Amino acid sequence: MGNFRLGLTLQTPTWFVIDDTYTEGLDNRGTARGRSDSKTYDFTYNLRTPLKGSLGASYIIAGQALISADVDFVDYSSIRFSANEGFNGVNDMTTINNNNRNVKDNYKSAVNYRVGAEYKINTVSLRAGYGVNGSPYKTGDADLLDTKMYSGGIGYRVSNYYLDLAYQRVEVNNTSTPYTLADKSEPIADTKLTKNNVFLTFGIRF
């Protein structure tokens, strides 16, 4: 049992007070009236993030290899907007209620998971990992909207010094539309975003 570790964490929601300010104006320099004045709108509200539960396990093999796995559960449909002391009456409450309704209609719970392995040969460590962040959206193909992460790395440690080189590939699929129609026949674009990251870390232990 000494080589096996199991952990459970619970991350409570976070409460934010958000000051939202935006400005709009109309540029009509082609008319006799010239450019119109812009108008600024202020909106203050509260935001509560979802609760998150995580379960993790790791196992050490022969003192040289490590296998680990983590699973997260996040209920994105529990995100809530609420009025702040500075809210401006009925119009702001209507916006808050609409936002909460949109969250319920469009978001769901999701499961994230990560697996990884590390093998140590004397002063050199080899690492590899794979992870998936589940899609929080109700609409569309949930599997296609997942975020996938691949990683690999090599580390060198001697005495109190260490050097790590890591590579990470992130793949994100998404759908977007320029407008919506009542019969849901609007055009939809499927996009795929790929990020390739390289990290180099040098450190000293005191």
Side-chain angles (χ1 to χ4, degrees), residues 1-7 55-61 65-69:
M1 290 296 294
N3 292 329
F4 180 74
R5 294 183 180 181
L6 184 66
L55 177 65
S58 64
Y59 186 71
I60 299 175
I61 304 173
L66 171 68
I67 299 175
S68 63

Side-chain angles (χ1 to χ4, degrees), residues 7-12 50-56 70-75 110-112 114:
L8 177 65
T9 61
L10 188 65
Q11 182 175 316
T12 63
L51 183 73
K52 178 181 178 181
S54 302
L55 177 65
D70 298 277
V71 178
D72 304 327
F73 176 82
V74 188
D75 185 5
V111 175
N112 310 324
R114 298 169 298 279

Side-chain angles (χ1 to χ4, degrees), residues 49-104:
T49 64
L51 183 73
K52 178 181 178 181
S54 302
L55 177 65
S58 64
Y59 186 71
I60 299 175
I61 304 173
Q64 285 186 297
L66 171 68
I67 299 175
S68 63
D70 298 277
V71 178
D72 304 327
F73 176 82
V74 188
D75 185 5
Y76 292 98
S77 66
S78 65
I79 295 173
R80 284 294 177 273
F81 298 90
S82 61
N84 186 268
E85 296 177 354
F87 82 105
N88 296 319
V90 176
N91 290 335
D92 285 358
M93 282 306 302
T94 300
T95 300
I96 287 174
N97 292 333
N98 289 339
N99 287 341
N100 285 329
R101 189 178 304 110
N102 288 334
V103 169
K104 276 289 187 182

Side-chain angles (χ1 to χ4, degrees), residues 68 70 113-117 128-132 147-152 171:
S68 63
D70 298 277
Y113 62 88
R114 298 169 298 279
V115 293
Y130 174 72
V132 175
T147 299
K148 297 179 175 64
M149 295 161 288
Y150 309 83
S151 64
E171 297 178 355

Side-chain angles (χ1 to χ4, degrees), residues 180-194:
T180 57
L181 299 174
D183 60 357
K184 306 298 183 181
S185 62
E186 64 272 6
I188 298 176
D190 295 322
T191 59
K192 181 177 181 178
L193 175 64
T194 301

Side-chain angles (χ1 to χ4, degrees), residues 12-160:
T12 63
T14 301
W15 285 263
F16 294 96
V17 177
I18 299 178
D19 294 318
D20 193 351
T21 301
Y22 68 95
T23 303
E24 65 178 7
L26 177 63
D27 188 349
N28 57 355
R29 286 175 289 183
T31 66
R33 294 182 58 187
R35 180 181 298 176
S36 63
D37 293 333
S38 62
K39 187 172 182 179
T40 300
Y41 302 89
D42 297 312
F43 186 27
T44 300
Y45 57 93
N46 301 323
L47 172 64
R48 186 192 71 194
T49 64
L51 183 73
K52 178 181 178 181
S54 302
L55 177 65
S58 64
Y59 186 71
I60 299 175
I61 304 173
Q64 285 186 297
L66 171 68
I67 299 175
S68 63
D70 298 277
V71 178
D72 304 327
F73 176 82
V74 188
D75 185 5
Y76 292 98
S77 66
S78 65
I79 295 173
R80 284 294 177 273
F81 298 90
S82 61
N84 186 268
E85 296 177 354
F87 82 105
N88 296 319
V90 176
N91 290 335
D92 285 358
M93 282 306 302
T94 300
T95 300
I96 287 174
N97 292 333
N98 289 339
N99 287 341
N100 285 329
R101 189 178 304 110
N102 288 334
V103 169
K104 276 289 187 182
D105 292 342
N106 296 292
Y107 289 84
K108 62 179 180 63
S109 60
V111 175
N112 310 324
Y113 62 88
R114 298 169 298 279
V115 293
E118 181 177 8
Y119 184 71
K120 186 175 182 181
I121 308 172
N122 296 324
T123 58
V124 177
S125 298
L126 303 176
R127 293 182 295 272
Y130 174 72
V132 175
N133 287 343
S135 170
Y137 304 110
K138 285 184 177 180
T139 57
D141 191 328
D143 292 336
L144 292 178
L145 297 178
D146 290 345
T147 299
K148 297 179 175 64
M149 295 161 288
Y150 309 83
S151 64
I154 183 171
Y156 176 75
R157 187 182 303 274
V158 58
S159 185
N160 293 331

